[in-house]
Amino acid sequence: MPNIANILTLSRIAAIPLITALLFFEQPVFRWTALGLYAVACITDFFDGYIARRMDQVSALGRFLDPIADKLVVGAILMAMTATQQIDGWSVLPALIIMCREIMVSGLREYLATLKIGVPVSMLAKWKTTVQMVALGFLIVGTAGPDWLPVMLIGDALLWIAAVLTVMTGYDYLRVGIKHMADGQSI
């Protein structure tokens, strides 16, 4: 179903290889370009849903692709930054927590969908996404940021905050999923 909302979502997915490739270069121009593309991807995350609802373009494809696009962007950036040691040491731990939660929630949503049970996104999950997006923005710029601003420290701190929110929201989703599993509902 080609519509504006789905095209925005697909553009977010299409930007992933370019954003991650730019992370393998240290020069500031590549960092700022990666940040610009990442910012556009984050903006499309807001607008694809807004446009879909506003223009009555909500589709099964959009409902399927939107959360996947979000997870692909985050996962690819975390993996590339870990591979290039822009995320290293103890900061790998929150990145790992975020990745594990995203995979768990995806699997849980898939399982619950077979039971015809939807899990709405909570306000805390929206905050988690926002903090995570901002953290990744700071980390993408990294050492190319202005000298007067502790860019890496801010990015690392926000990544840890995002990881704490990730655990909290992951627990909420898991609690709902386990309740339905314990109720004896099966596929």
Side-chain angles (χ1 to χ4, degrees), residues 72-182:
L72 288 173
V73 169
V74 169
I77 290 172
L78 288 173
M79 287 176 53
M81 295 187 86
T82 302
T84 57
Q85 297 181 340
Q86 295 162 60
I87 295 177
D88 64 353
W90 284 101
S91 294
V92 172
L93 186 58
L96 182 62
I97 289 169
I98 290 167
M99 291 286 294
C100 288
R101 183 264 191 199
E102 297 301 342
I103 293 167
M104 183 208 57
V105 168
S106 293
L108 188 58
R109 282 183 184 273
E110 183 178 330
Y111 168 75
L112 292 174
T114 63
L115 302 176
K116 307 278 191 272
I117 298 168
V119 181
V121 177
S122 68
M123 186 54 71
L124 188 60
K126 290 181 181 187
W127 276 103
K128 184 265 316 171
T129 299
T130 302
V131 171
Q132 187 174 276
M133 286 178 172
V134 174
L136 290 179
F138 274 95
L139 293 172
I140 286 169
V141 170
T143 57
D147 291 335
W148 55 268
L149 188 64
V151 174
M152 290 300 295
L153 180 63
I154 294 169
D156 282 340
L158 290 173
L159 192 65
W160 278 98
I161 293 168
V164 169
L165 295 174
T166 292
V167 169
M168 293 168 65
T169 59
Y171 172 76
D172 289 343
Y173 286 122
L174 189 59
R175 189 172 38 86
V176 169
I178 289 173
K179 177 188 176 300
H180 289 288
M181 290 176 209

Side-chain angles (χ1 to χ4, degrees), residues 18-41:
L18 184 54
I19 295 168
T20 55
L22 290 168
L23 295 175
F24 284 85
F25 298 97
E26 296 280 332
Q27 293 83 359
V29 67
F30 294 114
R31 291 316 177 100
W32 287 101
T33 303
L35 177 64
L37 290 170
Y38 174 70
V40 169

